Amino acid sequence: EAEVAQSPRYKITEKSQAVAFWCDPISGHATLYWYRQILGQGPELLVQFQDESVVDDSQLPKDRFSAERLKGVDSTLKIQPAELGDSAMYLCASSFGGVTEAFFGQGTRLTVV
Amino acid sequence: GDSVTQMEGPVTLSEEACLTINCTYTATGYPSLFWYVQYPGEGLQLLLKATKADDKGSNKGFEATYRKETTSFHLEKGSVQVSDSAVYFCALPLYNQGGKLIFGQGTELSVKP
């Protein structure tokens, strides 16, 4: 069964360091999402790609976060510098687009110390 | 604006008890509706979906009926198992924002043997 792959599963980093997360969506899915989930809350969208183009990054803290999907397939989300408040689960999801269901990866649990 | 409201948890049940988790939504038009489940330390998995009014989604013994008149999509199961212990999220995709998902706050279910 096709899955969304994410790595790493867990990451501990010191405040002010750089950190990067990788996501490989399900083959053929044009839409890719990065969500952030703070413990005890529902996920919130950080950035959405349609192929290689960003279609929504309104909630992405652009002073420290960046995201790319250069060839319209896999994607990288970067934080530089990391802050204590960035500790959360970072979830990648993909879909065929429109309002079809999104499929999620297992997430990266980030802890900033 | 569009929103999703879930009943607050945590919910603790004994094995074989009946489960209802309430979800109501506010949206323009007639969106699809989803229930996702998140097991501890994992990403989200699509549990079931409904794409139009009066549709009933079902999977693994769980059911939810899309009620347009009450703008609700309550999750039900007749007999829960310990393995159903997880956090459940009601979600609404936004037509005019490329399918971006809005989630409820999540309801944590704990099933005791």
Side-chain angles (χ1 to χ4, degrees):
Chain A
E1 183 175 305
E3 293 183 345
V4 176
Q6 285 189 251
S7 66
R9 285 291 307 276
Y10 306 94
K11 180 70 177 178
I12 300 174
T13 192
E14 292 184 346
K15 187 175 65 169
S16 79
Q17 295 299 302
V19 64
F21 314 130
W22 176 81
C23 172
D24 191 13
I26 292 172
S27 178
H29 280 189
T31 303
L32 184 147
Y33 310 86
W34 284 101
Y35 286 86
R36 178 169 60 185
Q37 184 182 22
I38 294 169
L39 191 64
Q41 299 181 19
E44 293 186 340
L45 183 72
L46 289 174
V47 61
Q48 177 180 341
F49 290 92
Q50 181 67 29
D51 298 310
E52 66 276 10
S53 300
V54 173
V55 297
D56 186 348
D57 63 357
S58 57
Q59 300 304 308
L60 188 71
K62 298 181 188 64
D63 56 335
R64 297 185 301 107
F65 286 63
S66 64
E68 61 182 16
R69 192 183 184 198
L70 292 176
K71 296 183 180 180
V73 181
D74 59 336
S75 175
T76 302
L77 178 69
K78 297 179 181 177
I79 308 174
Q80 182 173 18
E83 296 181 353
L84 296 178
D86 296 331
S87 295
M89 174 80 90
Y90 291 82
L91 295 162
C92 179
S94 69
S95 77
F96 283 113
V99 292
T100 57
E101 61 265 36
F103 295 87
F104 285 78
Q106 292 195 303
T108 296
R109 168 69 67 189
L110 173 67
T111 302
V112 182
V113 297
Chain B
D2 297 354
S3 65
V4 176
T5 303
Q6 275 183 245
M7 65 181 282
E8 293 187 8
V11 174
T12 302
L13 295 173
S14 297
E15 203 165 26
E16 299 184 2
C18 296
L19 169 71
T20 300
I21 300 177
N22 291 336
C23 171
T24 57
Y25 67 91
T26 301
T28 51
Y30 304 104
S32 298
L33 293 165
F34 305 128
W35 275 101
Y36 282 86
V37 58
Q38 186 175 35
Y39 298 100
E42 301 291 325
L44 277 69
Q45 299 176 25
L46 180 66
L47 180 61
L48 54 82
K49 65 179 181 180
T51 58
K52 59 184 187 295
D54 299 325
D55 255 6
K56 177 184 282 188
S58 61
N59 186 27
K60 299 181 181 179
F62 290 89
E63 293 183 339
T65 301
Y66 187 153
R67 302 281 188 204
K68 185 178 67 174
E69 63 277 11
T70 54
T71 62
S72 65
F73 192 53
H74 305 324
L75 183 67
E76 299 177 322
K77 188 174 186 183
S79 176
V80 295
Q81 306 300 312
V82 172
S83 57
D84 294 326
S85 297
V87 181
Y88 293 81
F89 293 95
C90 188
L92 168 69
L94 301 182
Y95 281 114
N96 61 353
Q97 294 187 45
K100 164 186 171 180
L101 287 168
I102 292 181
F103 290 89
Q105 66 268 40
T107 303
E108 182 180 2
L109 171 66
S110 178
V111 181
K112 306 298 185 186

